[in-house]
């Protein structure tokens, strides 16, 4: 009887562990665009928590913004909070636009944005960054914007900037269009309507996509780069996760989102014909080649980058974004300054950046990242 009781207890314990593991994996794969907070889901710690420097950080730190970096942020938050028991990081995944609004209103310690602050936003930030401070851009996450597609019977698809622009601008409406067929002579393209999905809210992902189209296909994309979708037609979804979910479900669909969403949902992605020796796949490694050529365009402590969307270098994927953590250079709130510096020091560290590749992101180039670490240490 005692042996049977022990076996029942052991089975119950194993069942609890199994359910907990399943819940963790489910959380890792979700995209919280409904306004909830992430407390750090994800299942990769790689021992990095032991290298976090808490530096006395305590209390709750609120942050919000870019959904592009959500999967990376989940891993970072989990590792950080495992090491720093007195600190709680709550990152609300919504959009770059929402994050900047929250930052300039003073309701978050830092914001995530896939586009650097513009002049007006810098001016607005001076109201919350006291003592002569202002918001600055700290590049933290790099990666490709994948063009995901769902066309039954088509496993590989090559497009160029012009064709991508025409598809999202409604000028190409069928998958067997001559322009697509010319780039894919061996594909069996169906006589199927294209259903293009875009972001419904102001989005840094949209901003970077339209920067790419404006630079590489100016004749076919007549709109200026912007966070708000300008083209008519198409269908809208609220976040990267929602756009990816629509592409996953709808035959004939095409959309844009960070590679991590394509990887987690097994969505096929477009290879881009840039004029290089071969079409370039959307991979973290290929995105890193493009980001490595970026130049710092910001002044002072601001580290905003200028990307080359028209690169034709072999193996360089041109449709990339950099997500910035936006913080005050000085004038941070004393109650959260310690946590801001401690947490961002970890995300910019070698261990923090190492996690990005496994999550289908691209680490920030070492030369630029060294300046990020130096700047984070100087926040006051």
């Amino acid at each position: 009887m005692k042996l049977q009781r022990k076996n029942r207890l052991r089975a119950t314990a194993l069942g609890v562990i199994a359910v907990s593991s399943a819940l963790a994996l489910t959380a890792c794969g979700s995209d919280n665009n409904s306004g909830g907070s992430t407390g750090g889901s994800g299942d990769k710690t790689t021992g990095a928590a032991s290298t976090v420097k808490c530096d006395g950080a305590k209390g709750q730190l609120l942050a919000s913004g870019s959904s592009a970096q959500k999967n990376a942020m989940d891993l970072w938050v989990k590792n950080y909070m495992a090491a720093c028991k007195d600190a709680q990081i709550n990152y609300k995944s919504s959009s770059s636009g929402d994050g900047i609004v929250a930052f300039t209103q003073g309701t978050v310690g830092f914001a995530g944005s896939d586009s650097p602050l513009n002049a007006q936003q810098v001016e607005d930030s001076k109201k919350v960054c006291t003592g002569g401070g202002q918001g600055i851009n700290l590049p933290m996450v790099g990666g490709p914007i994948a063009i995901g597609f769902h066309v039954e019977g088509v496993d590989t698809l090559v497009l160029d900037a012009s064709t991508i622009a025409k598809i999202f601008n409604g000028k190409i409406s069928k998958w067997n269009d001559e322009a697509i067929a010319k780039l894919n002579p061996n594909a069996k393209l169906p006589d199927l309507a294209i259903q293009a999905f875009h972001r419904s809210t102001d989005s840094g992902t949209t901003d970077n996509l339209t920067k790419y189209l404006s630079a590489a296909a100016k004749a076919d994309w007549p709109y200026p780069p912007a966070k708000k979708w300008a083209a008519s037609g198409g269908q809208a979804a609220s976040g990267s996760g929602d756009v990816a979910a629509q592409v996953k479900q709808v035959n004939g669909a095409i959309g844009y989102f960070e590679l991590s969403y394509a990887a987690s949902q097994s969505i096929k992605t477009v290879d881009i014909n840039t004029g290089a020796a071969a079409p370039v796949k959307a991979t973290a490694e290929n995105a890193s080649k493009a980001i490595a050529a970026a130049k710092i365009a910001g002044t002072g402590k601001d580290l905003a980058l200028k990307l080359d969307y028209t690169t034709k270098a072999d193996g360089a994927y041109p449709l990339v974004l950099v997500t910035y953590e936006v913080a005050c250079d000085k004038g941070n709130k004393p109650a959260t300054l310690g946590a801001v510096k401690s947490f961002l020091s970890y995300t910019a560290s070698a261990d923090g950046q190492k996690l990005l590749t496994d999550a289908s992101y691209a680490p920030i180039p070492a030369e630029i990242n060294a300046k990020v670490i130096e700047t984070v240490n100087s926040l006051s």
Side-chain angles (χ1 to χ4, degrees):
M1 292 296 291
K2 288 183 178 180
L3 180 59
Q4 290 177 345
R5 184 171 180 272
K6 287 181 178 179
N7 286 338
R8 285 197 300 271
L9 290 172
R10 182 174 180 271
T12 300
L14 289 173
V16 171
I17 292 171
V19 171
S20 297
S21 298
L23 288 173
L25 288 172
T26 300
C28 183
S30 69
D31 180 38
N32 184 6
N33 288 307
S34 60
S37 298
T38 71
S41 64
D43 59 354
K44 298 179 183 178
T45 61
T46 67
S50 62
T51 68
V52 175
K53 295 181 180 179
C54 302
D55 292 332
K58 60 178 60 178
Q60 186 180 67
L61 172 61
L62 300 179
S64 68
S66 165
S67 64
Q69 68 171 353
K70 179 188 181 296
N71 294 333
M73 190 61 70
D74 283 349
L75 297 176
W76 283 334
V77 169
K78 178 180 180 179
N79 282 357
Y80 182 82
M81 289 175 59
C84 303
K85 304 296 186 182
D86 294 329
Q88 181 181 5
I89 312 296
N90 286 309
Y91 182 80
K92 180 180 177 181
S93 171
S94 51
S95 68
S96 297
D98 288 346
I100 296 303
V101 169
F103 178 73
T104 55
Q105 290 179 344
T107 60
V108 295
F110 71 89
S113 177
D114 305 323
S115 297
L117 296 171
N118 61 35
Q120 183 58 56
Q121 290 165 342
V122 171
E123 193 62 31
D124 292 342
S125 73
K126 294 177 180 179
K127 300 173 185 177
V128 295
C129 301
T130 58
Q134 66 177 50
I136 57 172
N137 303 287
L138 302 169
M140 201 67 70
V141 183
I145 298 175
I147 304 294
F149 71 96
H150 177 181
V151 181
E152 292 179 5
V154 179
D155 294 325
T156 303
L157 186 69
V158 176
L159 298 176
D160 56 17
S162 174
T163 308
I164 294 170
K166 290 177 181 176
I167 288 173
F168 283 106
N169 196 28
K171 302 302 181 182
I172 292 178
S173 59
K174 289 291 188 76
W175 279 109
N176 61 350
D177 186 274
E178 182 180 354
I180 301 176
K182 185 176 180 180
L183 291 164
N184 299 272
N186 298 320
K188 295 181 179 180
L189 299 168
D191 183 12
L192 177 69
I194 294 174
Q195 299 194 51
F197 288 87
H198 59 265
R199 291 282 292 272
S200 60
T201 55
D202 287 4
S203 160
T205 311
T206 296
D207 192 29
N208 282 277
L209 171 69
T210 56
K211 284 178 180 176
Y212 164 71
L213 296 177
S214 294
K218 190 172 183 179
D220 301 303
W221 189 257
Y223 316 101
K227 292 181 179 180
K228 186 177 181 63
W229 188 255
S232 59
Q235 302 180 58
S238 63
S240 289
D242 289 337
V243 173
Q246 291 298 319
V247 173
K248 176 77 172 179
Q249 294 168 10
V250 178
N251 184 30
I254 189 169
Y256 59 94
F257 32 80
E258 295 66 41
L259 181 61
S260 62
Y261 291 99
S264 66
Q265 298 191 47
S266 300
I267 297 172
K268 295 166 185 153
T269 60
V270 167
D271 299 343
I272 295 183
N273 183 340
T274 64
V280 187
K281 293 185 177 299
T283 67
E285 180 182 6
N286 291 343
S288 292
K289 292 179 182 178
I291 295 172
K295 305 295 182 184
I296 294 177
T299 58
K301 292 184 178 182
D302 185 81
L303 300 177
L305 302 178
K306 181 177 177 58
L307 299 168
D308 181 6
Y309 295 101
T310 61
T311 179
K312 295 182 180 180
D314 288 344
Y317 186 81
L319 182 44
V320 296
L321 62 71
V322 169
T323 298
Y324 301 89
E325 312 310 337
V326 177
C328 295
D329 57 356
K330 58 182 179 179
N332 289 276
K333 294 179 180 178
T336 55
L337 174 60
V340 169
K341 293 180 67 173
S342 174
F343 180 68
L344 296 184
S345 291
Y346 166 61
T347 63
S349 71
D351 285 320
Q353 290 289 298
K354 185 178 179 181
L355 290 178
L356 295 179
T357 301
D358 290 340
S360 298
Y361 293 100
I364 298 301
E367 181 180 349
I368 295 171
N369 196 54
K371 295 181 179 179
V372 173
I373 294 172
E374 179 183 350
T375 303
V376 169
N377 289 336
S378 72
L379 298 181
S380 63

